[in-house]
Amino acid sequence: MKEKVIFDTNFLFNKVASSFFGNREELTSFSSDVDIILPEIVLEELEAKYIRIFEDDKGRFVKTLLSNIVEHNTNEIIIENSIKELINNENIPYTVIELKDYSILPEIKKLAIKKQSPFEVGEGTDKGFKDAYIYFTILEFIQNLSDKYVFVCSKDKRFKKAFEVHPNIISIESYEDFKKHSILYYFDDYFVQKINEVLGLSIIRDNIKEYWYNLNENKVVLVEYDGQEFVVETDSGEIINSCNRSSYIAEIGELVNSNSFRQTHRTVKVIAEFVDFLSNNETIKILEASYRNPEIRRIIKDYDVKQFIGNLFDAKKDLITDEEALSFLIETFE
């Protein structure tokens, strides 16, 4: 599964309008390693920018973009069709995502009124609507991802600030930034060798599937080998802990579906020993079950349960989408 990078307009805009996407060298590097994702409004803004370029300097536009019809009467050129042709000729693969849930419009209004990111601070400006629209498009998109993390490539500091409260959205400005955070970092021969030494396996790069950040902000790498799954905790690229996921996976299911206080205490004790390996998905399942399952909810203030659930909540509360569960956990732990 490739990692996904969502691009903002300022990274893609081509000032000379010689191709639909600018930054082609970097974008080509990205395309070799990731799925390129573009919010629909980014494409629309790029089109609008190119129309303005043409209107401001039609002669320059014709020479750089439409040299094959330079002898034609420029007044007869339908610029929108020419830009569509640019899009159709684009050879860098990408996927378009669009906002489907317009119920977030009141949230956009709230951010605008309070001058919160991605809206700009200061009176007399409401700049930021486009970024807010992209922001909620990304939040909606990420809910349908199995690993629930993406990269957002943008050079807009205000826009990037809006993602600081979302640990599963990683802001970058370049391909070099991406490599610092990407699972590709772990694809070198040194790391593969270390995994084989620690786990006693004979994996190759293709066995490394994904990673996530744990409660300590260390990266946990998932390795699949011979029908088994192993998790490897790393700090600064070095392995500090590892285990087979079978050591705790069954207990997560038992805890989420617990039908007694005794079972809840038992499974919490087991999972707590492996808490540093839990993925975002596993953590959210546990947090939401702590409200939805009465066998957990009724004893959530027992010392062991409260300590376990509380630590998960402190680290990953920004990932919770169940509003009722979030309200309950806030009331319990804050």
Side-chain angles (χ1 to χ4, degrees):
M1 180 185 298
K2 283 188 174 182
E3 292 171 297
K4 294 173 173 54
V5 181
I6 302 173
F7 290 86
D8 191 16
T9 310
N10 55 37
F11 184 90
L12 300 172
F13 180 53
N14 185 355
K15 292 182 179 179
V16 298
S18 57
S19 61
F20 193 70
F21 293 146
N23 271 326
R24 298 197 69 79
E25 184 175 347
E26 276 203 82
L27 202 59
T28 299
S29 296
F30 272 113
S31 68
S32 299
D33 298 327
V34 308
D35 291 329
I36 293 176
I37 308 295
L38 304 181
E40 183 181 39
I41 195 172
V42 167
L43 289 177
E44 293 173 351
E45 186 177 25
L46 285 174
E47 291 185 53
K49 282 179 175 287
Y50 294 140
I51 289 175
R52 288 195 291 273
I53 287 177
F54 176 75
E55 291 175 343
D56 290 344
D57 191 350
K58 187 179 294 185
R60 179 167 62 87
F61 186 89
V62 169
K63 290 178 182 178
T64 58
L65 179 61
L66 302 174
S67 56
N68 60 317
I69 57 172
V70 70
E71 296 179 358
H72 290 210
N73 185 339
T74 58
N75 291 324
E76 296 177 357
I77 297 172
I78 303 176
I79 186 59
E80 288 84 356
N81 291 345
S82 301
I83 292 175
K84 292 295 183 185
E85 185 177 344
L86 267 188
I87 297 175
N88 292 336
N89 291 337
E90 183 55 64
N91 59 9
I92 294 178
Y94 61 91
T95 299
V96 179
I97 58 174
E98 57 183 280
L99 183 67
K100 297 178 180 178
D101 181 9
Y102 291 106
S103 66
I104 52 82
L105 290 176
E107 292 299 319
I108 294 180
K109 182 178 71 173
K110 185 186 302 182
L111 292 177
I113 292 174
K114 293 184 177 181
K115 301 295 183 181
Q116 294 178 341
S117 299
F119 284 92
E120 289 192 357
V121 177
E123 296 302 322
T125 177
D126 287 322
K127 185 178 179 181
F129 176 81
K130 185 268 298 181
D131 288 340
Y133 194 96
I134 296 174
Y135 172 77
F136 283 101
T137 301
I138 293 171
L139 295 186
E140 181 180 279
F141 171 70
I142 202 172
Q143 295 309 313
N144 297 317
L145 299 181
S146 58
D147 45 12
K148 290 191 182 297
Y149 81 92
V150 296
F151 297 87
V152 175
C153 188
S154 175
K155 299 178 181 180
D156 187 324
K157 292 182 179 180
R158 189 71 183 168
F159 184 51
K160 292 168 62 177
K161 184 176 178 60
F163 294 112
E164 289 180 354
V165 297
H166 301 285
N168 55 334
I169 300 177
I170 305 164
S171 294
I172 56 174
E173 291 190 12
S174 65
Y175 183 67
E176 287 301 315
D177 275 353
F178 165 73
K179 289 195 295 184
K180 294 175 184 177
H181 298 279
S182 169
I183 193 174
L184 295 175
Y185 174 87
Y186 298 101
F187 279 24
D188 60 38
D189 293 336
Y190 170 80
F191 188 73
V192 171
Q193 179 183 347
K194 285 296 182 181
I195 288 180
N196 285 329
E197 290 175 1
V198 171
L199 298 180
L201 304 177
S202 299
I203 74 161
I204 59 176
R205 295 181 182 184
D206 289 346
N207 294 115
I208 300 175
K209 297 303 180 181
E210 62 176 289
Y211 79 86
W212 53 83
Y213 288 95
N214 67 9
L215 275 63
N216 302 316
E217 293 299 312
N218 289 333
K219 285 182 178 178
V220 178
V221 179
L222 173 64
V223 177
E224 294 181 0
Y225 181 79
D226 196 23
Q228 300 185 74
E229 293 185 329
F230 301 87
V231 277
V232 180
E233 183 184 10
T234 69
D235 185 7
S236 301
E238 296 296 328
I239 297 173
I240 60 175
N241 205 355
S242 63
C243 78
N244 191 312
R245 290 183 96 186
S246 63
S247 301
Y248 61 87
I249 285 293
E251 278 71 18
I252 292 176
E254 289 185 28
L255 174 60
V256 169
N257 298 296
S258 177
N259 55 21
S260 71
F261 296 160
R262 181 178 180 180
Q263 185 178 23
T264 298
H265 284 295
R266 183 189 67 79
T267 52
V268 162
K269 182 178 180 180
V270 173
I271 300 170
E273 296 180 10
F274 300 93
V275 69
D276 290 337
F277 298 113
L278 297 182
S279 71
N280 289 336
N281 281 348
E282 291 161 350
T283 301
I284 296 308
K285 283 182 181 178
I286 293 171
L287 288 174
E288 294 184 350
S290 68
Y291 168 70
R292 295 295 175 186
N293 187 331
E295 302 300 328
I296 306 174
R297 186 176 65 247
R298 290 172 184 167
I299 59 170
I300 198 168
K301 292 188 178 181
D302 285 9
Y303 178 78
D304 58 333
V305 180
K306 184 174 183 178
Q307 184 176 44
F308 175 68
I309 299 294
N311 288 338
L312 295 182
F313 176 69
D314 287 342
K316 300 292 184 177
K317 57 187 172 185
D318 292 321
L319 302 183
I320 302 173
T321 58
D322 185 322
E323 294 295 335
E324 292 182 350
L326 180 60
S327 296
F328 167 75
L329 292 167
I330 289 174
E331 182 179 345
T332 303
F333 294 108
E334 292 188 352

